[in-house]
Amino acid sequence: FVLCFHHKMSLGLLTLRALRGAPGLCRRTPAATGGLRAASSAAPRDKRAVITESTEEYKFVERLIPPTRIPDPPKHVGAAPSGWTPPAESPPPLPYMIRRSRMHNIPVYSDLTHGNRRMTLVRKVEGDIWALEKDVREYLRQVTGKELPTQVNEVTMTLKVKGHFEQELKDWLASKGF
Amino acid sequence: LFFSPQFASSFSSETALPPNLRLPSNLVDPDRLKRPPPPEDSSLPLIRKCDAALPAHLSPVRTWVDTLESKDSEPLGLTELHPDVFAVTPRLDILHAVETWQRNYKRISHANTKVRSEVRGGGRKPWKQKGSGRARHGSIRSFPPLKLNCGVSHGPRGPNSYYYMLPMKVRVQGLKVALSSKMAQQYLHVVDSLNIPTPDSQYLLELIRNRHWGESVLLVDVSQEFPENILQATANLKTVNLIPAIGLNVHSMLKHEAVILTLDTVRFLEEKLLWHDERYTFLYPFKLPYSDFP
């Protein structure tokens, strides 16, 4: 990147010098020609062009290159304006743990298949997933009043619940401190 | 002991094996399991702590750090290994997927048969359409039993590629699961460096036999230049192999019984494998420069 950048710069300087050498060809602004003429007249006996290589201007390129790691969210007092709450300082004393996603959100997602099959998926569970399933069933029974079928996948450590309960489960898990 | 998946269940009351089960006696080498993991109050120094931030609810895995300098030497100290690399859930389905991918993505099958148009000859109609009393045919190369050297209509056609790519995160998770499984089965050992006193293969074999590491050993180091002694010692050995850390893969780890990592390798692997847990998806390929690529 550095070499091509300076190659273009030095090409520009060379062409401008060639133009200035031929009389009557350069019709630029007097300020530009005055500055350039001063630079060329400083070393008139050096016929060969001196190409200097400097990496000082590369800092302008470096500050544009994006990072790869997701940064930690800034510290808010209580909830952020969007409604996002950070996880608790220490994990809650429950037999299960639900980690945050890589964008620091609660991993509860709603799913719609076959046009009418509504499901809610809780991912990234660690620990005793059956205890979490019991608590989720208990909580949703209080909220809705009906017994909802759930599916526990012990291999992938996920929990599926019939129906769209994404917001309720997210608020419940946030209140628990996950 | 490592129970096969069909006997493992989440109900803790059913840990007993069924009474009519017969297991072979050489399934697990009892000498290998004589060394328990280091206790909490061990007197040996902690050589290395985890560089990356640990999740609050997990504690690091502790292992012994050995040397290859002498055959029967005590462990030098302890290391802490990151639980998100060396203690993930044992996902056998991911291991299977990555292993089959490793076998098949390079496969090009060159099986090829000729179709009736490619078989030499057979342009002429063998007998007239009507009147001969035999079945109607257009060429002698169409299908048996007309003539032996006929064309195959639905056979394998030409060099066929079985290339496919698993998602990057699945392959990374496969590496983590393989390392965790080796750790859990006590087949993973950490060594300070791969320097041995003599370039003798017998020395290595006796060392491995004394420490009950297993039949086959995979030695992993960070750099691509290994010490001369270990290169010569493993040159003629079939079951003991060297590999740089960038070449570590699930197939090699499953093929060899024991995996030996150096401390630098552990640091390298943790840095590279944990980056995938907290990275953005790529804007442009990762081969091009980013500001904080590991």
Side-chain angles (χ1 to χ4, degrees), chain B residues 37-113:
Chain B
E40 289 294 318
D41 49 351
S42 176
S43 56
L44 291 170
L46 191 69
I47 300 178
R48 182 193 166 262
K49 283 197 166 234
C50 287
D51 299 321
L54 287 168
H57 64 286
L58 292 172
S59 58
V61 186
R62 287 201 164 188
T63 356
W64 305 104
V65 176
D66 291 316
T67 11
L68 298 175
E69 294 288 341
S70 68
K71 277 186 221 174
D72 3 82
S73 64
E74 293 298 312
L76 284 182
L78 307 177
T79 337
E80 283 194 340
L81 303 174
H82 202 283
D84 274 342
V85 175
F86 291 95
V88 289
T89 21
R91 292 284 304 269
L92 298 177
D93 57 328
I94 293 184
L95 268 188
H96 168 80
V98 176
E99 167 64 32
T100 37
W101 168 77
Q102 265 194 278
R103 273 204 220 189
N104 289 334
Y105 84 103
K106 293 183 240 196
R107 179 180 167 207
I108 299 178
S109 75
H110 293 277
N112 186 21
T113 51

Side-chain angles (χ1 to χ4, degrees), chain A residues 1 7 10 20 29 32 41 45 53-54 56 63 93 114 123 129 143 157 164 177:
Chain A
F1 290 112
H7 183 55
S10 52
R20 232 179 302 110
T29 57
S41 62
R45 47 190 183 278
E53 212 179 280
S54 85
E56 282 160 14
R63 66 187 191 184
H114 303 87
R123 263 188 8 102
I129 201 169
V143 165
M157 297 299 267
H164 274 344

Side-chain angles (χ1 to χ4, degrees), chain A residues 68 70 99 102 126 154-155, chain B residues 57 84 276 278 280 292:
Chain A
T68 46
I70 297 172
R99 285 214 206 177
R102 61 182 65 211
E126 288 170 13
E154 282 183 20
V155 177
Chain B
H57 64 286
D84 274 342
H276 286 280
E278 45 164 33
Y280 289 113
D292 61 350

Side-chain angles (χ1 to χ4, degrees), chain A residues 68-69, chain B residues 271-272 275 286-294:
Chain A
T68 46
R69 268 172 244 262
Chain B
E271 191 195 334
K272 297 279 179 178
W275 171 73
F286 285 123
K287 283 185 196 159
L288 298 177
Y290 278 89
S291 63
D292 61 350
F293 191 71

Side-chain angles (χ1 to χ4, degrees), chain B residues 206-220:
Chain B
E206 281 169 24
L207 190 146
I208 291 166
R209 206 181 321 123
N210 276 357
R211 298 191 185 177
H212 303 284
W213 277 351
E215 294 163 7
S216 46
V217 175
L218 186 67
L219 300 156
V220 191

Side-chain angles (χ1 to χ4, degrees), chain B residues 185-196:
Chain B
Q185 294 178 291
Q186 297 180 37
Y187 275 129
L188 189 90
H189 301 274
V190 181
V191 150
D192 59 341
S193 76
L194 292 183
N195 298 321
I196 28 176

Side-chain angles (χ1 to χ4, degrees), chain A residues 5-177:
Chain A
F5 181 60
H6 287 282
H7 183 55
K8 283 184 188 145
M9 266 184 59
S10 52
L11 263 183
L13 282 170
L14 282 171
T15 48
L16 278 171
R17 272 199 205 129
L19 282 173
R20 232 179 302 110
L25 271 183
C26 73
R27 286 280 172 267
R28 314 243 171 198
T29 57
T33 46
L36 286 164
R37 206 180 295 128
S40 66
S41 62
R45 47 190 183 278
D46 191 23
K47 292 279 169 63
R48 255 183 332 182
V50 175
I51 299 172
T52 52
E53 212 179 280
S54 85
T55 50
E56 282 160 14
E57 283 97 359
Y58 195 53
K59 64 178 190 287
F60 298 108
V61 176
E62 273 176 359
R63 66 187 191 184
L64 291 172
I65 300 176
T68 46
R69 268 172 244 262
I70 297 172
D72 289 325
K75 297 269 174 220
H76 295 276
V77 179
S82 63
W84 178 82
T85 44
E89 292 300 322
S90 69
L94 290 162
Y96 46 86
M97 169 71 189
I98 297 174
R99 285 214 206 177
R100 292 271 175 137
S101 70
R102 61 182 65 211
M103 295 293 184
H104 310 285
N105 295 322
I106 298 185
V108 173
Y109 310 100
S110 57
D111 197 9
L112 185 75
T113 37
H114 303 87
N116 53 5
R117 177 184 277 185
R118 298 180 183 194
M119 277 189 296
T120 314
L121 174 69
V122 178
R123 263 188 8 102
K124 291 187 86 113
V125 186
E126 288 170 13
D128 192 353
I129 201 169
W130 291 102
L132 170 69
E133 193 248 353
K134 199 159 79 106
D135 290 347
V136 163
R137 257 189 303 137
E138 187 58 47
Y139 173 68
L140 288 178
R141 195 192 313 143
Q142 285 165 16
V143 165
T144 56
K146 20 184 195 186
E147 287 285 336
L148 292 161
T150 53
Q151 186 203 34
V152 163
N153 189 334
E154 282 183 20
V155 177
T156 49
M157 297 299 267
T158 52
L159 178 69
K160 275 195 186 168
V161 180
K162 182 176 169 182
H164 274 344
F165 300 107
E166 190 181 346
Q167 207 47 51
E168 289 93 334
L169 282 178
K170 274 188 177 165
D171 298 332
W172 179 66
L173 287 170
S175 68
K176 289 230 168 180

